[in-house]
Amino acid sequence: MAFTFDRWVKPEQTSWALWQFSEYEAQLNNMYWSSVALEQFAMYHVRKSPGETIKSVLKASGPNAARFDADRSVFLKNVKDMGNWKRASFIMAATGAMENYFQRAVLVALKSDPALLHGKSKAIDGVQWLKIGIDVDHSDILTAITKGSWGTRYSKLKSLFGELPDIRDNVHNLDKIRIFRNGVGHAFGRELDAKPRLLRRGTDEITALTEEKFKKWLGQISGITREFDRHLVQHHIGDFESLLYLHEYAGKTDRSKTSLRQFSKTFKSNLGKELGHSKGIQYYEDMISYYDSVV
């Protein structure tokens, strides 16, 4: 299929930031469900052999065989707790991937569409600012959209991009995930206390996270991220990431003795290695011609 270059249209319809998020997501899913398969296999044999010791059933040997409590009831509770802890840890990783995506995608959108900050979307092409070296510090914005409650995060996102129904309608759910994640990161999987309980010696149970809720939360994180990406790509990013790559590439390349066609071919090859695919040579010729025309 031949694509026609358009500065504000991205043929793939997803940002490079989302591609990275999707890779993180696939990695998390592969690791988690592989571990579940191993756990279910082990527990099947433990339950099938009530008369044998845990070490015997699991063929536990070597220096680490003495490290776990072999009492059957304690062992089963530890496995259950580990399941909760594992799911909690993966939620923490997934929210981290989501926040990393939001920072990267919003930064790309602001660089691509700089007048967006003043309510004048697409009044300035960010490629122009790239070429003359204007680089605005957006660190305060990136902090505001990834720190604090989702109510305040959404307020900032709305001020930039307008109403975002998929996020707006899930602010409460996203904040529940955020609070849970903070409990995992700062309280070893327990709920955070408003202030330390100075006379407490014992520990609370690890906050339960069922597999059903785990899958639901992962689905919400994935769906909300993808819907937000669709909005940014369609309205503010377009094919800016490829143009940004071209800007960096052109800055390292002597084009004085190279034709447009030859430069397009080498650029197409280099970008293809990064993306794993490429579009027709005419697409890149048109992109390079557009880049050269921006002043």
Side-chain angles (χ1 to χ4, degrees):
M1 179 178 179
F3 295 103
T4 301
F5 174 75
D6 184 323
R7 161 67 180 90
W8 295 104
V9 175
K10 189 174 183 64
E12 299 88 349
Q13 300 181 344
T14 56
S15 71
W16 294 9
L18 187 69
W19 295 353
Q20 183 185 60
F21 172 83
S22 297
E23 289 183 3
Y24 285 143
E25 186 178 48
Q27 185 180 45
L28 287 171
N29 272 295
N30 287 333
M31 288 191 295
Y32 177 77
W33 293 109
S34 294
S35 72
V36 167
L38 287 174
E39 178 185 305
Q40 289 177 342
F41 177 80
M43 295 311 295
Y44 168 77
H45 286 284
V46 167
R47 293 191 177 98
K48 195 176 76 167
S49 309
E52 292 186 54
T53 66
I54 298 293
K55 290 182 180 180
S56 173
V57 172
L58 298 181
K59 305 293 191 292
S61 61
N64 292 324
R67 290 181 179 272
F68 66 86
D69 194 318
D71 178 271
R72 180 172 291 269
S73 61
V74 175
F75 177 83
L76 292 174
K77 183 180 184 305
N78 287 338
V79 171
K80 178 182 177 182
D81 285 346
M82 184 60 202
N84 278 320
W85 179 249
K86 181 169 56 180
R87 287 186 288 275
S89 298
F90 275 78
I91 287 296
M92 184 164 65
T95 54
M98 183 187 196
E99 289 170 355
N100 181 69
Y101 160 80
F102 266 74
Q103 282 200 330
R104 179 173 169 177
V106 168
L107 181 58
V108 169
L110 293 174
K111 284 182 174 292
S112 172
D113 191 6
L116 174 65
L117 280 175
H118 306 285
K120 302 290 184 180
S121 180
K122 298 183 183 177
I124 300 171
D125 187 342
V127 175
Q128 183 181 25
W129 283 24
L130 276 180
K131 294 182 72 173
I132 61 180
I134 298 177
D135 188 14
V136 178
D137 181 7
H138 296 302
S139 56
D140 288 347
I141 293 174
L142 301 184
T143 298
I145 63 170
T146 54
K147 304 294 181 184
S149 72
W150 267 96
T152 59
R153 295 187 201 190
Y154 179 66
S155 293
K156 187 61 179 180
L157 290 167
K158 180 182 175 182
S159 73
L160 293 170
F161 306 112
E163 288 285 3
L164 301 162
D166 214 50
I167 299 178
R168 180 197 63 207
D169 297 344
N170 282 284
V171 163
H172 178 68
N173 292 328
L174 287 169
D175 220 43
K176 286 172 63 177
I177 296 173
R178 178 189 65 85
I179 292 168
F180 179 86
R181 188 275 305 272
N182 287 344
V184 177
H186 302 293
F188 198 63
R190 279 81 174 174
E191 292 185 6
L192 282 168
D193 292 326
K195 59 181 180 180
R197 292 177 288 176
L198 301 184
L199 299 181
R200 178 75 179 214
R201 294 187 69 249
T203 61
D204 296 324
E205 288 289 314
I206 294 174
T207 303
L209 178 58
T210 65
E211 198 163 88
E212 181 180 0
K213 181 180 284 189
F214 172 70
K215 291 189 288 187
K216 179 182 177 181
W217 280 1
L218 287 183
Q220 289 175 333
I221 290 169
S222 180
I224 289 166
T225 300
R226 292 173 192 284
E227 183 61 23
F228 182 58
D229 189 75
R230 183 197 63 76
H231 178 88
L232 290 192
V233 170
Q234 285 187 4
H235 298 286
H236 306 292
I237 295 176
D239 211 4
F240 180 77
E241 289 157 311
S242 296
L243 286 158
L244 176 59
Y245 188 92
L246 172 60
H247 177 71
E248 296 291 329
Y249 182 79
K252 302 173 185 176
T253 306
D254 181 7
R255 298 176 57 188
S256 60
K257 298 179 181 180
T258 305
S259 68
L260 173 61
R261 173 54 63 102
Q262 186 56 46
F263 180 69
S264 298
K265 285 182 178 179
T266 56
F267 174 69
K268 175 179 181 290
S269 175
N270 277 270
L271 184 59
K273 291 176 183 176
E274 290 288 331
L275 303 183
H277 69 274
S278 64
K279 292 168 276 292
I281 189 66
Q282 188 62 51
Y283 186 91
Y284 295 104
E285 282 194 11
D286 292 345
M287 177 188 292
I288 293 164
S289 295
Y290 176 84
Y291 173 82
D292 290 341
S293 71
V294 175
V295 293

